[in-house]
Amino acid sequence: MVQTLGVAVVGFGWMGRVHTQAYARVPHHFPGLSLRPELVAVADEVPGRAEEAAAQYGFAAAHRDWREVAADPRVRAVSIAAPNFLHREIGLAMAEAGKHIWIEKPVGLTAEDARAVSDAVTKAGVQGTVGFNYRGAPAVAAARELIASGEIGTVTHVRIRLFSDYAAHPEGALTWRYERERGGSGVLGDLASHGVDLARFLLGEIEALTADTAIFLPRRARPTGATAGHTRATGGELGPVENEDYVNCLLRFASGARGVLEACRVSVGEQNNYGFEVHGTKGAVFWDFRRMGELGVSRGTSYQDQPVSTVYVGPGDGEYAAFQPGSANSMGYDDLKVIEAHNFLRSIAENTPYGATLADAVHSAAALDAMSRSAEQGTWVSLA
């Protein structure tokens, strides 16, 4: 029997829209799900934005203040897509109000913030899902199985890259994303958090790391009005960029494997160049987000001059079958958020966590904090 679940979205920038669209689509892709999301409320502090969202998507109520969502008994689950500095406050309030939460990474500004929200969710007995969407790609699920099966032998090393140009323009506005007080870290929280999650998802726990960071565009113009996404600003007062544009990190895994994680938000010529290369004693597996349904796989007994084959994922790999009937049909970014929505709702329906959890967010945030310390001190930092 299908039951209705009242949901709300707090923060209606681009990511709030993606969550809302995922709620609308999830019953079509996962018809066996026993919960059907109902859009009850939306909240955003920018004047008119919540009302516009309600008119476009059919939310029953629109608010400027997210506290009205916390107080609404019709709302049983909440997507938190507000800026990073609000994650802890909103997450704690929603959990204490008995509401399940689907929260975007990095879950606050520090590991302490992520841990506080995780503890609140546990104490309240509600479910918490975190927006580490790249682990949901069917090709990533297939790569994980391939690695676990031993087909590429014992993993020796991995390289994870997350390069983008979203902050490369010198006229990019000095929004909260570039401030320590409101944004916390820069590319660490935005992109490297995904890299840490992929590293753990594929290879297991990280034991120690050392990192270097840099700010390449040190000053930006302050915006004169409300912003969403990565707005440009000209003529405004210049202010300092307080968090990093770039990080390069060496990783040591508990398994003995080694890794390199590199992320940059100002890489001219790079658009969403996210991926990994995992090497083992008998083979390797490669993935590029821009070719999301493909894996490069090298396996066999040749070792030297061993070829790499392109493998197209299909039904049987992750949640691919919920979207396409046969191999090599394309999926996109928004499909990964539908998978997240399904994991979130399934977690609530079965009272069992599925997908990325707040515990994963805590592990990722602890690694990001360690990267910051390492960059400041110039030393290796243990995560044990």
Side-chain angles (χ1 to χ4, degrees):
M1 179 179 177
V2 176
Q3 296 181 332
T4 299
L5 181 81
V7 302
V9 176
V10 174
F12 210 78
W14 170 64
M15 188 54 67
R17 291 179 181 272
V18 173
H19 277 232
T20 303
Q21 290 160 183
Y23 283 130
R25 291 179 57 196
V26 75
H28 303 291
H29 294 283
F30 298 94
L33 189 64
S34 63
L35 289 178
R36 183 68 56 89
E38 178 184 5
L39 300 178
V40 171
V42 58
D44 195 291
E45 65 177 8
V46 176
R49 187 179 284 175
E51 289 78 9
E52 180 182 320
Q56 182 176 359
Y57 292 100
F59 289 96
H63 307 291
R64 288 279 301 276
D65 191 339
W66 59 262
R67 294 169 185 82
E68 295 186 62
V69 172
D72 191 336
R74 299 172 300 168
V75 175
R76 294 181 53 204
V78 180
S79 281
I80 302 173
N84 298 350
F85 65 95
L86 295 172
H87 284 187
R88 177 171 180 160
E89 182 182 10
I90 298 174
L92 292 178
M94 296 302 174
E96 289 166 2
K99 304 183 191 303
H100 308 282
I101 63 173
W102 174 12
I103 186 169
E104 277 304 314
K105 54 81 206 167
V107 189
L109 305 182
T110 63
E112 181 184 351
D113 287 348
R115 193 171 292 110
V117 178
S118 180
D119 290 346
V121 163
T122 300
K123 183 179 179 181
V126 296
Q127 295 296 321
T129 294
V130 179
F132 289 128
N133 46 276
Y134 299 109
R135 65 156 61 189
V140 175
R144 188 182 193 223
E145 290 188 9
L146 184 72
I147 293 165
S149 74
E151 284 197 58
I152 65 169
T154 300
V155 172
T156 54
H157 58 98
V158 61
R159 184 170 77 96
I160 299 172
R161 69 187 184 282
L162 298 111
F163 299 144
S164 186
D165 64 356
Y166 66 80
H169 203 292
E171 294 178 359
L174 187 69
T175 65
W176 60 267
R177 297 177 185 276
Y178 302 98
E179 300 174 2
R180 282 287 179 189
E181 185 176 350
R182 296 194 297 166
S185 61
V187 76
L188 283 173
D190 195 18
L191 295 181
S193 58
H194 284 296
V196 172
D197 185 66
L198 283 172
R200 293 183 60 249
F201 187 68
L202 294 170
L203 272 67
E205 298 303 330
I206 299 168
E207 197 170 69
L209 58 81
T210 185
D212 184 36
T213 63
I215 298 173
F216 296 132
L217 293 176
R219 296 178 68 79
R220 295 179 182 271
R222 301 186 187 279
T224 56
T227 61
H230 305 288
T231 308
R232 293 187 192 175
T234 56
E237 178 188 357
L238 293 178
V241 172
E242 298 173 351
N243 50 33
E244 72 291 335
D245 291 323
Y246 171 85
V247 61
N248 182 38
C249 182
L250 300 179
L251 306 169
R252 291 177 183 165
F253 292 87
S255 66
R258 298 298 195 262
V260 176
L261 190 162
E262 191 177 14
C264 185
R265 64 188 181 186
V266 296
S267 297
V268 175
E270 301 282 12
Q271 296 87 40
N272 300 319
N273 183 358
Y274 309 151
F276 55 75
E277 300 113 40
V278 181
H279 293 268
T281 53
K282 296 194 299 182
V285 59
F286 312 91
W287 181 68
D288 187 328
F289 168 67
R290 298 165 300 179
R291 305 177 71 91
M292 194 168 75
E294 300 178 16
L295 283 177
V297 180
S298 178
R299 52 189 163 190
T301 57
S302 300
Y303 299 100
Q304 188 175 1
D305 299 325
Q306 185 163 284
V308 177
S309 300
T310 297
V311 176
Y312 297 103
V313 297
D317 295 315
E319 299 290 357
Y320 184 94
F323 298 87
Q324 300 294 350
S327 300
N329 284 296
S330 298
M331 290 177 61
Y333 177 91
D334 285 14
D335 295 327
L336 302 184
K337 303 308 278 192
V338 175
I339 292 171
E340 270 185 36
H342 170 250
N343 286 335
F344 180 45
L345 296 170
R346 186 183 177 193
S347 299
I348 296 168
E350 301 180 19
N351 197 31
T352 300
Y354 289 96
T357 66
L358 280 158
D360 293 311
V362 171
H363 280 289
S364 177
L368 301 183
D369 284 0
M371 290 180 198
S372 292
R373 292 198 305 274
S374 174
E376 291 172 2
Q377 301 168 5
T379 59
W380 281 85
V381 176
S382 172
L383 296 178

